[in-house]
């Protein structure tokens, strides 16, 4: 397998997957996109074994409800890919895998609209035009929208009327759809995006062209649900992952417990362990008030070559001192969150800049601080 050309062909800003991993400071980053955001017990155990064998022994949960393995040696990538394919976690077709960017409402039921639409879209991925790598679809067709605040370019949502609607990201309203036409509408919107020059804008929210008449409507999404918090849920227990990360060995132990039937991934740094009741998982939390669950922090130094500072160690020390959201970013790119944080620490030239109610690339209030100086500056918040 021509792995070197695959890896060398990768550029920054690429949306990596298992066929096209991204080179990071700590080795290859391989993203795994489970069908419907769920893994069975066997798949979860296999994935944990793969992270322990080929990666750094950790699994990162992404904002699109995928898992990432990090620290993969490029010489071992083909064996990892083969393992993931055997687990049915990666499509055998690299092209289809690249297009398989669906975020689904995590608490779907086997026979509901989310499953029906997502399953049809999985089967029609080859009908899509070639789209920018970061483009994604959101299938949010439960009784009420669960993913309103999550990014995704072409969206199916529950409307106020109770029907399903199509909405282009960046537009506050959409059009109601007739049952069974949802995937046709998504494909048509994707084709329109390309034909109307969307490839230059790269994302739907940035594409300012007027929508076609058939996609313009005045229908609003229904009142959204709150995002899933850690704690007991119907059918299982939701666990918060500090920094969106879990040790593979820990997760493997959980998946081997009697009664556990699978794992649902969410975009909220929360996993839902199906069938789990009263299981304590070391390092994970079922307490919605846990300070670390209010923290965003990218891997930082040394994992990312663009980082000049450590991030997560500092975030652990600072989190109990911060009332609202804390974001510690290794550089101004702010990969961990694009939203303003109450306390924003951004690495620059080996030191930290501090801003309040700001994004990672904001003008700081205090510049060039040592980590020891930061607690004293939080009083200004
Ligand atoms: S924000 Fe963090 S992960 Fe993203 S490029 Fe900067 S240092 Fe790397």
């Amino acid at each position: 397998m021509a792995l070197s050309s695959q890896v060398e062909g990768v550029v920054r800003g690429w949306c990596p997957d298992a066929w096209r991993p991204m080179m990071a400071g700590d080795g290859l980053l391989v993203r795994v996109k489970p069908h419907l955001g769920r893994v069975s017990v066997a798949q979860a155990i296999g994935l944990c074994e793969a992270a322990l064998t080929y990666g750094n022994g950790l699994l990162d949960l992404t904002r699109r409800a995928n898992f990432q393995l990090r620290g993969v040696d490029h010489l071992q990538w083909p064996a990892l890919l083969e393992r993931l394919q055997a687990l049915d976690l990666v499509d055998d077709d690299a092209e289809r895998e690249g297009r398989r960017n669906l975020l689904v409402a995590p608490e779907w039921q086997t026979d509901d609209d989310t499953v029906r639409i997502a399953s049809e879209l999985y089967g029609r991925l080859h009908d899509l035009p070639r789209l920018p790598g970061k483009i994604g679809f959101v299938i949010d067709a439960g009784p009420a929208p669960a993913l309103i605040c999550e990014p995704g370019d072409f969206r199916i949502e529950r409307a106020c009327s109770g029907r399903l609607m199509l909405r282009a990201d960046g537009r506050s309203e959409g059009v109601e759809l007739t049952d069974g036409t949802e995937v046709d509408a998504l494909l048509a919107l994707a084709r329109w995006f390309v034909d109307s020059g969307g490839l230059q804008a790269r994302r739907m929210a940035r594409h300012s062209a007027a929508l076609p008449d058939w996609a313009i409507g005045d229908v609003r999404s229904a009142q959204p649900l709150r995002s899933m918090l850690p704690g007991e849920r119907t059918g299982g227990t939701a666990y918060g992952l500090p920094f969106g990360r879990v040790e593979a060995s820990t997760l493997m132990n959980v998946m081997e417990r009697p009664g556990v039937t699978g794992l649902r991934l969410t975009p909220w740094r929360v996993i839902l362990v199906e069938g789990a009741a009263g299981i304590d998982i070391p390092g994970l939390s079922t307490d919605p008030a846990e300070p670390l669950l209010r923290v965003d922090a990218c891997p930082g130094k040394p994992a990312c070559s663009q980082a000049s500072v450590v991030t997560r160690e500092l975030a652990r020390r600072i989190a109990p001192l911060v009332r609202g959201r804390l974001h510690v970013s290794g550089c101004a790119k702010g990969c961990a969150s694009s939203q303003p944080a109450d306390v924003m620490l951004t690495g620059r030239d080996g030191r930290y800049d501090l801003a309040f109610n700001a994004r990672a690339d904001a003008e700081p209030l205090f510049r060039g601080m040592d980590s020891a100086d930061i607690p004293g500056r939080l009083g200004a918040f």
Side-chain angles (χ1 to χ4, degrees), residues 298-300 304 306-307 329-331 333-335:
C298 71
C304 177
Q306 296 185 60
S329 183
C331 77
K333 197 170 167 191
C335 294

Side-chain angles (χ1 to χ4, degrees), residues 12 70 297-301 303-309 311 327-337 346-347 360:
R12 291 194 199 291
R70 298 190 70 109
C298 71
K301 187 181 171 186
C304 177
S305 60
Q306 296 185 60
S308 64
V309 294
T311 50
H327 182 181
V328 184
S329 183
C331 77
K333 197 170 167 191
C335 294
S337 174
T346 304

Side-chain angles (χ1 to χ4, degrees), residues 8 13 24 36-38 60 82 96 122 131 147 172 175 203 231 236 242 255 266 284 299 308 355:
E8 285 164 9
L36 297 168
R38 180 184 185 272
D60 287 327
E82 204 172 297
R96 203 163 48 220
Y122 282 135
L131 293 163
L147 302 168
S172 55
V175 283
R203 298 303 300 268
M255 300 312 293
T266 81
L284 306 192
S308 64

Side-chain angles (χ1 to χ4, degrees), residues 22-372:
M22 177 185 281
M23 184 58 80
D26 54 349
L28 290 180
L29 183 158
V30 176
R31 186 169 294 164
V32 178
K33 304 184 281 192
H35 275 255
L36 297 168
R38 180 184 185 272
V39 285
S40 66
V41 169
Q43 285 176 316
I45 290 173
L47 188 58
C48 291
E49 287 170 346
L52 289 163
T53 305
Y54 303 107
N56 61 4
L58 299 166
L59 289 167
D60 287 327
L61 180 62
T62 76
R63 287 287 307 278
R64 288 192 177 178
N66 297 316
F67 267 140
Q68 279 178 180
L69 283 72
R70 298 190 70 109
V72 176
D73 185 317
H74 72 282
L75 293 174
Q76 296 203 307
W77 168 70
L80 170 61
L81 179 60
E82 204 172 297
R83 180 85 182 104
L84 295 173
Q85 286 175 290
L87 290 166
D88 198 22
L89 288 169
V90 173
D91 203 296
D92 289 341
D93 181 321
E95 179 77 18
R96 203 163 48 220
E97 179 71 8
R99 295 166 177 232
R100 206 163 55 81
N101 297 322
L102 276 66
L103 177 60
V104 303
E107 291 188 275
W108 49 260
Q109 304 293 318
T110 310
D111 54 355
D112 73 2
D113 286 326
T114 296
V115 172
R116 173 179 62 79
I117 297 164
S119 302
E120 183 181 344
L121 185 53
Y122 282 135
R124 296 178 65 184
L125 291 174
H126 272 312
D127 294 343
L128 285 169
R130 188 172 286 271
L131 293 163
K134 289 184 184 291
I135 287 278
F137 294 82
V138 173
I139 313 298
D140 194 9
L147 302 168
I148 287 287
C149 297
E150 305 314 316
D153 299 83
F154 310 122
R155 317 177 64 98
I156 299 293
E157 292 168 350
R158 186 67 61 186
C160 288
S161 63
R163 307 278 303 271
L164 289 172
M165 60 182 278
L166 171 74
R167 185 167 69 84
D169 197 28
R171 279 65 169 178
S172 55
E173 296 168 335
V175 283
E176 266 186 14
L177 298 169
T178 308
D179 285 355
T181 63
E182 299 88 356
V183 175
D184 288 335
L186 288 169
L187 295 176
L189 193 57
R191 288 190 200 106
W192 165 84
F193 175 81
V194 171
D195 293 344
S196 59
L199 295 183
Q200 281 72 47
R202 305 197 68 74
R203 298 303 300 268
M204 184 64 233
R206 294 200 290 261
H207 187 36
S208 56
L211 289 169
D213 289 347
W214 58 265
I216 298 175
D218 57 2
V219 179
R220 288 193 167 263
S221 311
Q223 184 70 25
L225 300 171
R226 283 186 72 181
S227 53
M228 188 187 295
L229 294 173
E232 300 288 322
R233 311 284 299 185
T234 306
T237 301
Y239 294 87
L241 278 58
F243 312 126
R245 171 168 280 196
V246 60
E247 301 228 5
S249 55
T250 301
L251 188 60
M252 193 150 66
N253 285 337
V254 174
M255 300 312 293
E256 287 169 341
R257 298 282 284 262
V260 169
T261 57
L263 186 65
R264 304 254 182 137
L265 313 188
T266 81
W268 308 300
R269 305 222 172 103
V270 167
I271 53 172
L272 176 63
V273 182
E274 297 173 352
I279 301 178
D280 215 19
I281 307 182
L284 306 192
S285 179
T286 53
D287 177 8
E290 162 63 48
L292 278 180
L293 301 182
R294 299 197 306 271
V295 176
D296 295 301
C298 71
K301 187 181 171 186
C304 177
S305 60
Q306 296 185 60
S308 64
V309 294
V310 297
T311 50
R312 290 177 174 166
E313 293 88 337
L314 176 66
R316 282 186 190 280
R317 295 208 315 268
I318 302 285
L321 309 176
V322 174
R323 287 192 299 275
R325 286 210 75 82
L326 166 67
H327 182 181
V328 184
S329 183
C331 77
K333 197 170 167 191
C335 294
S337 174
S338 56
Q339 302 299 314
D342 298 290
V343 173
M344 181 70 235
L345 287 160
T346 304
R348 186 172 51 82
D349 300 332
R351 297 179 80 81
Y352 297 90
D353 291 344
L354 171 62
F356 298 118
N357 193 22
R359 292 162 31 115
D361 56 358
E363 189 62 26
L365 196 60
F366 300 105
R367 289 176 182 275
M369 289 184 303
D370 185 80
S371 60

